[in-house]
Amino acid sequence: MASTTLTYEGSNFFRQRLILATLSGRSVRINRIRSKDDDPGLRDFEASFIRLLDTITNGSRIEVNEAGTSLLYQPGLLLGGSFEHDCNVQRGIGYYLECLICLAPFCKKPVKAVLRGVTSNQLDPSVDIIRAVSLQVMKKFGIDEGLELTVSKRGSPPHGGGEVIFKCPVCRNLRPLQFVKAGKVKRIRGVAFSTRVSPAFVNRLVEGARSILNKFLTDIYIYTDHMKGPRSGKSPGFGISLVAETTEGTFLSAEAMSNPQGEEISVPEDLGKKAAKLLMEEIYRGGCVDSRHQSLALLYMSLGQTDISKLQTGPLSPYTIQFLRHMRDFLQVMFKIEVQQEGGRDEGEESQRTGCDKILLTCVGVGFSNLSKTVT
């Protein structure tokens, strides 16, 4: 990889840039971070994210100016190992876990991370979605034995108090992926949880979700998880995550979380219905991964062996589109993108269902190899 420093401006896509810089070994400079805001510079949760990167690597050089509006990051070697990290409660544990999922397979030592903070919020993927879907995406690339995510405590915003244990093995090479058939939904699973509220809330969440989903499918099971005492964190809250599994091994997810303590009170039934409708939208969008996991699958495809990988998705999310641009900058990987329109329309008929069009993404992996992993 070229050793020149890549330069960007602004706070958008902050994690993307630092994760890809770490994997490619390229330095990155980010200037004018919220320079026009009343409160300029890095936020506390971004500083916590940088500390996590510093923990998982060895020899990284991180320079932040006094105002916090400029960052220089020169990545070190991915070390891994066992460590603990207190995540900032402004963002969920999922914000930090998404980074570990991208980096952990390429570390020198297997990762065992204890993360503390908010297990579910309205911004980031909950630990339940990461456990049910993100780990399944990793397994498709050959990252399997020893991969585990355990929720030992739940924590709701604003004060958190949750704790999860993430274990990930190291991997020498990633398998190429050929995943172009999504299949049909055969079952829906989910988790409804509550912390420091009445146990009846989880049942009301399930009722709300089932009132919509039962019209379409009979194989539905939503597990209820009411945490008590010290395991229930520091703040009241409740939420539901749903995962649809297809006949071809596709996992599509959606979730809804109550408002934080101090804001307008959420109604459990409405929250359950909202999650069900979001899941229906993901199913309608289609694809072999849901919109939240597009970027993870594409990253693993680009880091795979020098072989062709193919993936069918629904319409690309704005986050994924920017991720493709960043992969071109850092890894010099470009994807062939083909739009596959749904059949059944006349040639002259204007598309009324553009949301249903599928995208076929093809790339050749860069042959990224973890030299720390010995061949068995």
Side-chain angles (χ1 to χ4, degrees):
M1 299 289 176
S3 59
T4 52
T5 301
L6 290 167
T7 305
Y8 296 98
E9 288 191 358
S11 60
N12 287 346
F13 308 106
F14 182 76
R15 287 183 304 164
Q16 281 188 17
R17 291 163 179 170
L18 296 191
I19 288 169
L20 287 169
T22 307
L23 288 169
S24 64
R26 297 189 68 171
S27 302
V28 63
R29 182 182 291 279
I30 305 174
N31 298 321
R32 302 181 67 182
I33 301 171
R34 301 188 184 89
S35 56
K36 294 182 179 179
D37 284 18
D38 294 335
D39 181 18
L42 291 168
R43 298 285 179 261
D44 290 343
F45 65 86
E46 289 165 336
S48 178
F49 177 77
I50 292 169
R51 284 195 293 275
L52 177 61
L53 276 181
D54 193 36
T55 302
I56 201 173
T57 58
N58 182 24
S60 294
R61 180 182 165 208
I62 302 163
E63 293 180 6
V64 181
N65 69 352
E66 200 169 320
T69 55
S70 179
L71 165 73
L72 173 66
Y73 175 61
Q74 293 179 338
L77 297 172
L78 277 166
L79 186 63
S82 298
F83 59 90
E84 298 182 6
H85 184 74
D86 290 325
C87 305
N88 189 277
V89 292
Q90 292 172 346
R91 298 298 292 259
I93 288 176
Y95 177 87
Y96 302 89
L97 266 177
E98 284 183 313
C99 161
L100 288 181
I101 284 170
C102 293
L103 300 178
F106 311 106
C107 287
K108 186 175 181 180
K109 304 173 188 171
V111 167
K112 181 187 176 185
V114 179
L115 304 178
R116 299 186 186 91
V118 173
T119 51
S120 300
N121 66 5
Q122 295 175 337
L123 287 172
D124 306 296
S126 69
V127 292
D128 300 299
I129 292 293
I130 288 175
R131 181 169 55 184
V133 184
S134 305
L135 300 194
Q136 294 297 332
V137 173
M138 296 176 78
K139 287 176 182 178
K140 291 191 185 302
F141 290 88
I143 308 162
D144 197 344
E145 197 176 335
L147 185 63
E148 189 183 324
L149 179 62
T150 309
V151 182
S152 47
K153 296 178 186 175
R154 287 192 181 274
S156 300
H159 302 302
E163 182 180 282
V164 302
I165 302 165
F166 173 65
K167 295 178 183 176
C168 181
V170 293
C171 180
R172 187 169 176 84
N173 294 107
L174 296 178
R175 278 201 303 249
L177 183 73
Q178 300 284 331
F179 200 11
V180 294
K181 196 174 177 185
K184 295 188 176 182
V185 175
K186 64 177 181 178
R187 67 168 71 102
I188 292 175
R189 297 291 181 262
V191 177
F193 71 88
S194 62
T195 59
R196 300 200 173 274
V197 294
S198 165
F201 276 51
V202 287
N203 298 324
R204 291 169 63 187
L205 283 164
V206 174
E207 282 171 28
R210 276 187 170 277
S211 68
I212 291 176
L213 297 175
N214 280 350
K215 298 172 187 174
F216 305 97
L217 203 67
T218 54
D219 190 356
I220 300 169
Y221 183 78
I222 303 172
Y223 172 69
T224 55
D225 186 9
H226 176 69
M227 289 280 190
K228 296 179 181 177
R231 298 181 66 208
S232 62
K234 301 174 182 176
S235 300
F238 51 91
I240 183 169
S241 61
L242 300 170
V243 177
E245 185 183 348
T246 74
T247 52
E248 299 292 330
T250 294
F251 292 85
L252 307 171
S253 63
E255 60 187 346
M257 174 73 191
S258 62
N259 290 329
Q261 185 180 11
E263 295 185 19
E264 186 182 350
I265 296 171
S266 303
V267 180
E269 288 85 354
D270 292 348
L271 219 56
K273 288 177 183 175
K274 179 184 176 184
K277 287 174 182 175
L278 288 171
L279 183 66
M280 304 294 281
E281 189 178 325
E282 280 293 349
I283 294 169
Y284 171 70
R285 287 165 65 92
C288 299
V289 289
D290 59 28
S291 49
R292 184 169 265 160
H293 291 87
Q294 288 171 354
S295 56
L296 176 64
L298 296 180
L299 174 67
Y300 282 168
M301 283 167 66
S302 66
L303 293 172
Q305 298 170 28
T306 49
D307 201 347
I308 294 173
S309 289
K310 289 186 177 183
L311 176 71
Q312 188 192 67
T313 70
L316 296 177
S317 67
Y319 185 89
T320 305
I321 291 167
Q322 186 60 44
F323 199 76
L324 287 168
R325 292 176 182 146
H326 278 141
M327 280 200 285
R328 182 190 60 198
D329 293 349
F330 285 95
L331 300 170
Q332 282 82 56
V333 172
M334 294 181 72
F335 283 76
K336 180 184 177 186
I337 301 175
E338 300 169 76
V339 178
Q340 301 178 315
Q341 292 195 344
E342 290 287 291
R345 292 201 295 261
D346 295 332
E347 278 188 29
E349 186 183 346
E350 201 166 312
S351 171
Q352 296 295 318
R353 302 181 63 202
T354 52
C356 210
D357 291 343
K358 305 294 185 289
I359 312 287
L360 181 65
L361 295 117
T362 309
C363 81
V364 176
V366 296
F368 193 92
S369 184
N370 184 354
L371 299 176
S372 304
K373 166 74 172 174
T374 53
V375 181
T376 52

